[in-house]
Amino acid sequence: MKINEIQCIKELRNGSYQAFTQIYEAYADRLYSFVLKQLKNRSLTQDIVQDTFLRLWDNRSQLDCFGNLQAFIFTIAKHQVIDYFRRQVNELQFEDFMEYCESRESDVSPEDILLYDEFLQQLKQSKKVLSQREHEIYELSREKHIPIRQIAEQLNLSEQTVKNYLTSAMKILRSEMMKYNILFIFFL
């Protein structure tokens, strides 16, 4: 659906629900596809698309009549997707770091924190070497702490196949991490 962006922006800035509806109808489907490709989760994608348009409405007075409306809308959504991934990563890092801290008897030093951050960066790079299935199984087992049996059922694989993939992933990750001279194998 082609719309007159400049006119819609002017009307939207004045609080026009009709202009907002036109913009929504023109961009919602494309935005949904864009976000879904990133998240691969329909429910979360719907939430982000709705929130994107709510933010557009809330910030309508700041719109530039000569700006690219599509780029503005997609940028809002892109930032929400990035924020979602940051929250996921931070939650995971926090949980892993807390487990690490609890496993140590002494206090965690600032050096330990820096080393742990370096470890996480190198692990992220190392996981890129894994096959898609190894990567998936590693994350389910080691990062989401899902039992082997449940992973096997979820992926429609035998428990032994899951163990084999996990063993292979661990071997590759240990080898990759050794290249970085990181000896935090206890995290793996």
Side-chain angles (χ1 to χ4, degrees):
M1 172 182 188
K2 187 73 174 155
I3 61 170
N4 181 340
E5 279 192 9
I6 295 173
Q7 186 62 35
C8 276
I9 292 171
K10 285 180 184 177
E11 291 175 14
L12 182 62
R13 286 178 58 124
N14 291 326
S16 168
Y17 292 114
Q18 183 179 4
F20 179 80
T21 300
Q22 285 181 328
I23 293 168
Y24 182 86
E25 289 174 354
Y27 295 110
D29 288 341
R30 283 184 276 173
L31 187 64
Y32 181 87
S33 296
F34 168 76
V35 174
L36 185 60
K37 281 181 188 176
Q38 310 301 313
L39 299 178
K40 300 182 180 28
N41 179 317
R42 292 182 187 279
S43 176
L44 185 57
T45 296
Q46 289 171 343
D47 291 345
I48 286 181
V49 169
Q50 292 300 337
D51 196 42
T52 298
F53 283 101
L54 285 174
R55 289 180 187 211
L56 174 66
W57 177 259
D58 290 343
N59 297 303
R60 66 188 179 278
S61 62
Q62 299 171 12
L63 288 174
D64 179 359
C65 290
F66 300 103
N68 183 334
L69 183 59
Q70 179 176 329
F72 182 74
I73 292 169
F74 277 70
T75 300
I76 292 171
K78 180 181 80 168
H79 287 293
Q80 289 189 73
V81 169
I82 290 169
D83 288 346
Y84 168 76
F85 282 125
R86 280 188 184 136
R87 283 191 306 273
Q88 293 298 103
V89 167
N90 288 338
E91 288 171 12
L92 177 62
Q93 288 177 359
F94 179 75
E95 289 173 15
D96 287 347
F97 187 65
M98 291 308 294
E99 285 180 23
Y100 168 65
C101 292
E102 290 169 4
S103 71
R104 299 204 31 165
E105 293 182 16
S106 62
D107 292 331
V108 178
S109 69
E111 292 82 17
D112 287 336
I113 294 170
L114 289 173
L115 288 172
Y116 183 71
D117 287 342
E118 181 182 343
F119 164 79
L120 289 175
Q121 289 302 317
Q122 300 308 331
L123 178 60
K124 183 178 178 182
Q125 285 297 100
S126 297
K127 288 194 310 187
K128 292 179 181 178
V129 176
L130 299 176
S131 72
Q132 182 179 353
R133 185 62 88 180
E134 289 168 333
H135 188 270
E136 180 180 29
I137 289 172
Y138 172 82
E139 287 186 343
L140 290 170
S141 174
R142 294 301 192 250
E143 295 177 6
K144 295 183 180 176
H145 309 291
I146 298 174
I148 298 287
R149 184 178 345 155
Q150 192 175 340
I151 295 170
E153 291 172 6
Q154 182 177 334
L155 300 178
N156 200 22
L157 298 170
S158 72
E159 286 184 38
Q160 187 58 50
T161 300
V162 171
K163 288 177 186 176
N164 292 345
Y165 274 116
L166 187 57
T167 300
S168 173
M170 299 293 282
K171 183 177 179 182
I172 292 167
L173 288 175
R174 283 189 183 102
S175 173
E176 287 297 309
M177 295 299 282
M178 292 301 285
K179 291 178 185 176
Y180 299 113
N181 293 321
I182 299 211
L183 301 176
F184 298 112
I185 302 307
F186 52 85
F187 279 117
L188 298 175

